[in-house]
Amino acid sequence: MSKAANTRTMILTKAFELIYKQGYQATSIDNILATTQVTKGAFFYHFKNKDEMGLAMINEIIYPGMYATLVKPLLDSKDPINEIHEMMRNVLLKVPFLRAKYGCPAVNLIEEMSPLNEDFKIALLKLTDQWQDAIKESINQGKASKEIRADVNPGYVACFVVAGYSGIRNMGKAAGSSCYNIYLQELKNYLKQLA
Amino acid sequence: MSKAANTRTMILTKAFELIYKQGYQATSIDNILATTQVTKGAFFYHFKNKDEMGLAMINEIIYPGMYATLVKPLLDSKDPINEIHEMMRNVLLKVPFLRAKYGCPAVNLIEEMSPLNEDFKIALLKLTDQWQDAIKESINQGKASKEIRADVNPGYVACFVVAGYSGIRNMGKAAGSSCYNIYLQELKNYLKQLA
DNA sequence: TGTTTAACATACTAATTAGTATTTAAAAAT
DNA sequence: ATTTTTAAATACTAATTAGTATGTTAAACA
């Protein structure tokens, strides 16, 4: 990686960390700069303004991370019920960077930025749509192999599962991670009913 | 209502509206004052600082509203499955003040303020706890009348339902209100499985 | 009726904000 | 080697922020 590309990545990585914990608007450019060796000149050389940096962060940091954790494990699903549940278990309990107190970076940004900025909304919708598509496709494969009832609507299931995740991430910010296990248990009951 | 009490209520009401749409930190005191006839002197006479106003808003505006819509309809439940579903239908589709784009005021505040301010977290946790207790009690009554299976864990169901609500409110901010109907359908499938 | 206190009103401050203007150094190209 | 362009460093600005200091008026009380 060239030195310039490295500077850019440093900005996005540190911005991601701070915005995850503090929120987008509460994280100032000066705050990002103070915790890196990057100067204001470098920041505005790489990004036209704060929002362009924020969008780059979504597309270049959050999107790849969520694809690896949430989408990839569901491609070529043989056992959708268990694989969806396991994927959820992994993201809630096994990703070390994510802390209950701070919730999910993408969910946080949807909450804060969707109503305020159309570009953010579009970029974030792309994330959740990809995830829902992966779940939907997984359920469809389960229908093909008769492990899922024929009358199940895969898109509806995907919507319900993603909403459940967003919600438990929200709840966990106030109530702590103990609710994750409760959620996983009831998610299993919901998923079993699809068979 | 005395003139002073009226001033206080005006501040809280307008703050609630603005914070609902913009977020807590993004709503400045000057912003609240500019859209009322209240002056800065009056504001700081009634509230020691912005956070005290925010807490008063949660306790005096949000809490009573949520109690009436979410808790009261579940007291003395004869048919928990349908009553919980109907309560959810009401809050998602029938409360005119709430718009999909802006989500739920309480959920928004949990997302934004829980990790940043312990007092906010405690005040907000009181809201969700009350709601969960009402759902739990409703399920318990259903177990007593044998309409709910004996092995169902009422606290778990309450957690799952509240998380689902938070999540669909989050999703609706980016995806619009059409996802509400999908959620309600799948919530019904989940609830039916409790019988 | 006079005095006190509650309820504001106005003008200010110090800190922080996103963003700009200008300069400088390091790479790349010629 | 010299020019040019990329990448960055430094110093600034205008706007906005929460909160304060100091006044003023209206209501309650003695």
Side-chain angles (χ1 to χ4, degrees):
Chain A
M1 182 152 55
S2 77
K3 195 164 166 274
N6 187 56
T7 302
R8 188 189 153 93
T9 301
M10 267 185 61
I11 293 170
L12 292 178
T13 303
K14 180 56 78 175
F16 173 63
E17 283 172 32
L18 292 173
I19 289 167
Y20 173 46
K21 296 185 180 173
Q22 302 175 339
Y24 177 79
Q25 294 171 102
T27 301
S28 70
I29 295 171
D30 286 344
N31 187 357
I32 297 166
L33 301 178
T35 47
T36 55
Q37 284 90 327
V38 178
T39 63
K40 195 160 270 198
F43 183 97
F44 282 98
Y45 174 77
H46 285 282
F47 305 102
K48 213 177 79 192
N49 52 41
K50 189 187 174 187
D51 283 0
E52 289 232 333
M53 185 279 297
L55 290 169
M57 180 195 72
I58 293 171
N59 293 319
E60 297 169 38
I61 307 284
I62 299 184
Y63 181 81
M66 92 100 194
Y67 189 88
T69 316
L70 305 177
V71 174
K72 231 180 159 194
L74 295 181
L75 303 178
D76 292 313
S77 237
K78 276 140 192 27
D79 179 5
I81 289 180
N82 284 310
E83 280 162 24
I84 289 171
H85 191 265
E86 187 59 21
M87 172 268 293
M88 194 65 84
R89 237 179 68 85
N90 275 329
V91 68
L92 288 178
L93 304 176
K94 304 288 178 188
V95 180
F97 177 77
L98 301 177
R99 313 291 311 166
K101 181 181 183 183
Y102 301 119
C104 164
V107 172
N108 294 354
L109 280 171
I110 289 169
E111 195 78 45
E112 182 183 5
M113 298 307 291
S114 286
L116 302 180
N117 186 308
E118 192 70 16
D119 292 329
F120 274 67
K121 180 164 130 181
I122 292 166
L124 293 163
L125 213 41
K126 214 182 69 183
L127 303 192
T128 47
D129 278 352
Q130 278 254 349
W131 192 22
Q132 285 190 67
D133 280 349
I135 296 170
K136 188 174 154 184
E137 193 42 45
S138 169
I139 295 288
N140 260 325
Q141 287 171 28
K143 286 178 78 169
S145 63
K146 308 285 180 193
E147 285 171 42
I148 302 284
R149 292 194 333 258
D151 64 305
V152 166
N153 184 321
Y156 282 30
V157 173
C159 173
F160 192 70
V161 168
V162 171
Y165 168 77
S166 305
I168 202 64
R169 278 298 192 193
N170 182 272
M171 183 179 286
K173 290 178 86 162
S177 63
S178 61
C179 63
Y180 289 171
N181 293 298
I182 297 174
Y183 169 77
L184 285 167
Q185 179 105 25
E186 293 305 304
L187 175 65
K188 176 142 279 178
N189 289 336
Y190 166 75
L191 291 172
K192 278 198 307 206
Q193 160 261 150
L194 302 174
Chain B
M1 183 152 53
S2 78
K3 194 164 166 276
N6 187 56
T7 302
R8 188 189 153 92
T9 301
M10 268 184 59
I11 293 169
L12 292 178
T13 304
K14 180 56 75 175
F16 173 64
E17 283 172 32
L18 292 173
I19 289 167
Y20 174 46
K21 296 185 180 173
Q22 303 174 339
Y24 178 78
Q25 295 171 102
T27 300
S28 70
I29 294 170
D30 285 344
N31 188 358
I32 297 166
L33 301 178
T35 48
T36 54
Q37 283 89 329
V38 178
T39 62
K40 194 160 271 198
F43 184 97
F44 282 97
Y45 174 77
H46 284 282
F47 305 102
K48 213 177 78 191
N49 51 42
K50 190 187 173 188
D51 283 0
E52 289 231 335
M53 186 279 296
L55 290 169
M57 180 195 72
I58 292 172
N59 293 319
E60 297 169 38
I61 307 283
I62 299 184
Y63 181 82
M66 92 100 194
Y67 189 89
T69 316
L70 305 178
V71 174
K72 232 181 159 193
L74 295 182
L75 304 178
D76 293 314
S77 239
K78 276 139 192 27
D79 180 5
I81 289 179
N82 283 309
E83 281 161 23
I84 289 171
H85 191 267
E86 187 58 21
M87 173 268 295
M88 193 66 83
R89 236 179 69 84
N90 276 328
V91 67
L92 286 178
L93 304 176
K94 304 289 179 187
V95 180
F97 177 77
L98 302 177
R99 313 290 312 164
K101 180 181 183 183
Y102 301 120
C104 164
V107 172
N108 293 354
L109 280 171
I110 290 169
E111 195 78 45
E112 181 182 5
M113 298 306 292
S114 287
L116 301 179
N117 186 309
E118 192 71 16
D119 293 330
F120 274 67
K121 180 164 130 181
I122 292 166
L124 293 163
L125 212 40
K126 214 183 71 185
L127 303 192
T128 46
D129 278 352
Q130 277 255 349
W131 193 20
Q132 285 191 68
D133 280 349
I135 296 170
K136 187 174 155 184
E137 192 43 45
S138 170
I139 295 287
N140 260 324
Q141 288 170 29
K143 286 178 78 170
S145 63
K146 309 283 179 194
E147 286 171 42
I148 301 283
R149 292 196 331 260
D151 64 305
V152 166
N153 185 321
Y156 281 30
V157 173
C159 173
F160 192 71
V161 169
V162 171
Y165 169 77
S166 305
I168 201 65
R169 278 297 192 193
N170 181 271
M171 184 178 286
K173 290 179 86 162
S177 63
S178 61
C179 64
Y180 290 170
N181 293 300
I182 297 173
Y183 169 76
L184 285 167
Q185 179 105 24
E186 293 306 304
L187 175 65
K188 175 141 280 178
N189 288 336
Y190 167 75
L191 291 171
K192 277 197 308 205
Q193 160 261 151
L194 302 174

